[in-house]
Amino acid sequence: MTETHRFRPTNWHNVFAAMKPALVVASGDTIITETLDAAGTNARGEQKANRPNPMNGPIYVAGAEPGDALRVEILRIDPVRATGWTRAALSANVLEPEYARNLPPRDVCNWIIDLETSTVQLATPPATLKQLILPCAPMIGCFGVAPAGGVAISTATSSRNGGNMDYRGFTAGCSVSFPVGVTGALFFLGDCHAAQGDGEIAGTGVETCCDVELRLTLEKHRSIGWPRGELDDRIFTVGNARPLDQALQHATTEMVVWLKSDYGLSDSDAAHLLGQTVRYEVGNVYNPAYTMVCSIAKKWLPEKPNQV
């Protein structure tokens, strides 16, 4: 019998690592929890933790062992604060070096999140941006599991275990599978955004606090190398590394492995399919590791062999 847990953390973490769990759940259980913003402030404006990206967790999933995968279904992401914040300058690393020399200060800018109309806009916009009213598009910027090998990975970056990927596809309705590196998986999440452009190229989305509902399901003996995900219309893989071409290599290789193991394709079959239908999206290109997402529309996928 599955359960729903209302998880109210009292401690937050700035690393993904093996540590004492804050909550123990069974496979298939649902978790509802409220996140802090990227600077550690809660929905009431109280400073509860330090940056970067303090995480709720870790959540221990009974029965999870290395060699398994943990599927995270994002059921709901609701902003719970009427304000968010961003920075006022692009990241220097997304611009030509000579141009980046004269960037303005990275001042904090406040945004209004209208929970009734589900829109976001600058609190004090310049005259040129008075009409900039964006749809609210809540997403999870940073989540994943403890890495293998006794490693602690900062919540400012990402790796095989997930982390600070800032991919706009991590929205309600998305499911993501992470490779389990330690007993219990030890799942963490935080850093929600009310809106964000591709790449998080200003170093932030509209940073805010959200009430998040997730379902955690153990996938026994599903050995994967990098995060894999699914949306209504496509499947995708995620590679995290720097330089960007290495992240692309990780994501593409993981997709080929997935197509071969689950869909019965050969390397040549995968070349035909990916060569003409693949789509790439940029996740985080601000933090130490960059994120690339490799996706294929479900309409192009063959039936899995066990479904024929």
Side-chain angles (χ1 to χ4, degrees):
M1 191 75 175
T2 59
E3 296 184 36
T4 297
H5 306 263
R6 179 42 117 162
F7 175 38
R8 295 180 173 88
T10 56
N11 293 293
W12 293 264
H13 306 282
N14 302 111
V15 295
F16 292 87
M19 61 183 71
K20 183 179 178 181
L23 177 68
V24 177
V25 304
S27 177
D29 282 1
T30 297
I31 294 89
I32 301 171
T33 191
E34 185 176 300
T35 62
L36 304 179
D37 71 15
T41 303
N42 69 11
R44 292 157 292 285
E46 302 163 335
Q47 190 74 35
K48 305 298 287 187
N50 296 321
R51 63 179 72 212
N53 302 328
M55 296 286 102
N56 295 16
I59 298 172
Y60 182 106
V61 182
E65 296 290 346
D68 300 333
L70 180 67
R71 186 170 77 248
V72 180
E73 296 172 76
I74 306 172
L75 305 177
R76 179 175 57 81
I77 310 173
D78 293 328
V80 291
R81 196 171 73 191
T83 60
W85 57 272
T86 61
R87 294 287 183 180
L90 292 178
S91 172
N93 67 293
V94 304
L95 297 166
E96 294 175 357
E98 287 301 317
Y99 191 91
R101 290 176 184 271
N102 299 310
L103 285 173
R106 293 184 52 77
D107 295 334
V108 171
C109 294
N110 293 317
W111 290 65
I112 297 169
I113 303 170
D114 191 320
L115 302 177
E116 291 188 5
T117 63
S118 193
T119 58
V120 297
Q121 59 182 311
L122 281 161
T124 54
T128 51
L129 297 179
K130 285 188 179 296
Q131 303 306 311
L132 184 66
I133 302 174
L134 304 173
C136 190
M139 52 166 283
I140 302 175
C142 189
F143 65 145
V145 295
V151 175
I153 297 178
S154 169
T155 55
T157 191
S158 57
S159 188
R160 292 180 181 272
N161 65 301
N164 191 34
M165 299 174 285
D166 291 311
Y167 170 48
R168 293 177 63 245
F170 292 141
T171 58
C174 177
S175 68
V176 191
S177 293
F178 297 100
V180 173
V182 301
T183 298
L186 298 179
F187 173 74
F188 300 78
L189 82 151
D191 183 35
C192 290
H193 303 163
Q196 181 204 289
D198 286 341
E200 201 192 43
I201 63 172
T204 72
V206 179
E207 307 288 340
T208 194
C209 305
C210 288
D211 197 57
V212 182
E213 185 173 355
L214 306 161
R215 183 181 297 115
L216 304 182
T217 304
L218 184 57
E219 299 176 312
K220 291 298 294 181
H221 311 301
R222 188 187 185 200
S223 181
I224 63 177
W226 292 87
R228 299 180 181 182
E230 183 175 349
L231 289 154
D232 286 342
D233 61 344
R234 63 191 187 273
I235 65 171
F236 63 88
T237 53
V238 181
N240 300 310
R242 188 184 282 206
L244 193 61
D245 59 350
Q246 186 178 352
L248 183 145
Q249 290 166 357
H250 292 322
T252 308
T253 302
E254 188 69 18
M255 181 61 77
V256 172
V257 171
W258 192 359
L259 293 174
K260 292 173 69 176
S261 65
D262 286 29
Y263 295 90
L265 272 62
S266 68
D267 282 305
S268 292
D269 297 338
H272 292 309
L273 180 61
L274 288 170
Q276 311 311 320
T277 69
V278 72
R279 296 292 182 267
Y280 287 103
E281 296 174 273
V282 177
N284 190 295
V285 291
Y286 171 73
N287 293 121
Y290 294 159
T291 295
M292 282 295 295
V293 177
C294 173
S295 69
I296 299 179
K298 289 181 178 178
K299 65 182 178 180
W300 304 125
L301 293 172
E303 289 186 356
K304 294 182 179 180
N306 61 6
Q307 294 177 346
V308 176

